Amino acid sequence: MSVTSSGGLREQVRLIEQAGMDGVFVADHLFVSHGRPRREAVAGGDPFVRLAMVGTLSERLMLGTSVVNIGFGHPALAFRSFIELAALFGGERVLAGIGAGWNREEFEALGMEFPPFAQRMDRLEEAAELARALFDQGFAELAGEHVTARELPLGPPSSPPPRLLLGGGSDRLLEIAGRYGDVVDLNGSSRRLKLGGPHPVLRDMMRRFTTTVSDLEDSVQRVRASAAAAGREADQIEFSVLVNAVRFCSELEVEAVEGELCEQAGIDRQSLADCPYVFVGPPERMRHQLTERAHRIGLRHLILAPAEPEVLARFSQDVVATIDAEMR
């Protein structure tokens, strides 16, 4: 969600509700340059301000972040905001998505060192442990290497509390998510491509478009194994996928449209029929793909990247709603 005024946000919420979608996810980026000079970068906004506005404008929409960068400051500050949203609008509506931060440019723009991957994952794990304590008990005591909480009270906890969302594709992230997460957003598999480098946004798209449903089946098993080892109910963890592209077309046009998407992602032309982040074709083809993916990876949530309102409405009504009706 990206807006520049309260009127624009009000209109976006109206369109989202009209389309029959269930929630709003807001990113947490200072900017995204897409390889351009920073002066030309797309600026971000404050996710908590926007979600508070959405909660005021809608009585039913889920409020989520995808995801808050806990590398910029003490994670308790973000958790305080999630707890406040839960108190205002109900914990069942709040999905507290957190991440370790991956965009080197943002750290550099703040004059901060960009930590190596292992260190960022260590910090994220400690932050997830802190979130679990604060959301479930309203109080935390933690003496970590990167995150400290000394008799920290942020309660009493709401009932239900916010749900903790963790997302990524590395084995380490999936293990952390199994130990602490309520929802896991399945990103592109690290077995396909490591991010890193000067332009991680572009590499992320390449990785996502070459990831298959089978890759995500493996990711799900890793999450569930980690949850079981931690003594958690593995079946209680939900899975989501962020869909990058929805393109309605005839069966005869599928190959050409997929080729265009591959070129945009910087990969060789290939079929995207088994890519979980893409839906191309007529509604019946998309329904078949969504049903299969939901079955194979236990998919409970789809997060749709920004698109034309009529596209989002058609996907929600002609694809998702039809499957929901059949399942009932």
Side-chain angles (χ1 to χ4, degrees):
M1 169 173 281
S2 176
V3 297
T4 57
S5 67
S6 60
L9 180 57
R10 188 183 302 274
E11 177 64 10
Q12 283 192 335
V13 169
R14 185 188 70 80
L15 291 173
I16 289 169
E17 289 197 313
Q18 187 176 29
M21 290 182 281
D22 296 324
V24 169
F25 277 83
V26 181
D28 179 29
H29 282 292
L30 296 173
F31 62 87
V32 179
S33 69
H34 295 288
R36 298 191 298 269
R38 289 184 194 171
R39 290 181 180 273
E40 302 174 12
V42 178
D46 188 310
F48 295 114
V49 172
R50 294 184 181 184
L51 290 179
M53 284 287 292
V54 173
T56 301
L57 293 169
S58 171
E59 295 183 354
R60 71 169 183 84
L61 289 179
M62 185 182 300
L63 312 171
T65 52
S66 179
V67 289
V68 169
N69 183 349
I70 55 89
F72 289 156
H74 199 293
L77 301 178
F79 300 148
R80 178 180 62 178
S81 296
F82 287 123
I83 290 170
E84 185 78 357
L85 287 173
L88 290 170
F89 306 114
E92 71 281 356
R93 293 179 61 186
V94 180
L95 266 178
I98 64 171
W102 52 266
N103 190 349
R104 181 187 298 272
E105 281 191 296
E106 291 180 290
F107 284 81
E108 292 175 345
L110 295 177
M112 299 175 65
E113 179 183 354
F114 183 60
F117 175 78
Q119 185 175 325
R120 282 180 283 133
M121 287 295 103
D122 289 344
R123 179 180 173 81
L124 180 64
E125 180 167 6
E126 292 176 8
E129 182 180 354
L130 178 65
R132 193 77 278 149
L134 291 173
F135 290 172
D136 295 344
Q137 304 163 21
F139 183 88
E141 179 74 33
L142 178 65
E145 182 178 352
H146 306 281
V147 178
T148 299
R150 298 191 178 100
E151 299 185 56
L152 176 63
L154 286 184
S158 60
S159 182
R163 285 178 289 169
L164 180 63
L165 179 148
L166 294 158
S170 70
D171 291 350
R172 179 73 191 283
L173 185 284
L174 297 172
E175 291 167 3
I176 295 171
R179 286 194 291 274
Y180 300 104
D182 298 303
V183 181
V184 182
D185 187 62
L186 299 168
N187 206 331
S189 172
S190 60
R191 289 173 174 74
R192 292 291 175 176
L193 181 69
K194 303 292 184 184
L195 290 184
H199 304 301
V201 175
L202 304 180
R203 290 178 64 84
D204 178 61
M205 190 61 68
M206 295 172 66
R207 184 172 79 171
R208 292 172 69 84
F209 274 40
T210 53
T211 292
T212 67
V213 177
S214 294
D215 292 328
L216 295 195
E217 285 184 296
D218 180 70
S219 295
V220 167
Q221 291 307 312
R222 289 179 181 275
V223 171
R224 289 177 172 163
S226 175
R232 303 184 71 205
E233 293 291 337
D235 291 341
Q236 298 301 309
I237 298 176
E238 299 178 354
F239 295 93
S240 68
V241 165
L242 190 157
V243 178
N244 293 99
V246 175
R247 299 288 189 274
F248 287 99
C249 63
S250 69
E251 288 282 1
L252 295 177
E253 297 171 307
V254 167
E255 183 177 353
V257 173
E258 289 183 336
E260 293 174 6
L261 291 173
C262 289
E263 288 185 2
Q264 294 171 11
I267 63 175
D268 294 336
R269 283 178 169 252
Q270 57 191 270
S271 171
L272 298 176
D274 200 32
C275 174
Y277 311 109
V278 174
F279 287 90
V280 175
E284 56 270 23
R285 185 177 195 267
M286 296 183 182
R287 287 196 292 269
H288 173 75
Q289 290 176 324
L290 180 55
T291 301
E292 180 188 25
R293 295 168 191 179
H295 174 72
R296 290 175 63 183
I297 61 178
L299 190 62
R300 290 289 303 277
H301 307 280
L302 283 179
I303 306 172
L304 302 182
E308 294 299 320
E310 57 268 23
V311 174
L312 298 179
R314 187 179 181 188
F315 186 79
S316 176
Q317 296 165 5
D318 294 352
V319 180
V320 178
T322 301
I323 292 176
D324 287 344
E326 292 174 353
M327 292 178 68
R328 286 196 295 268

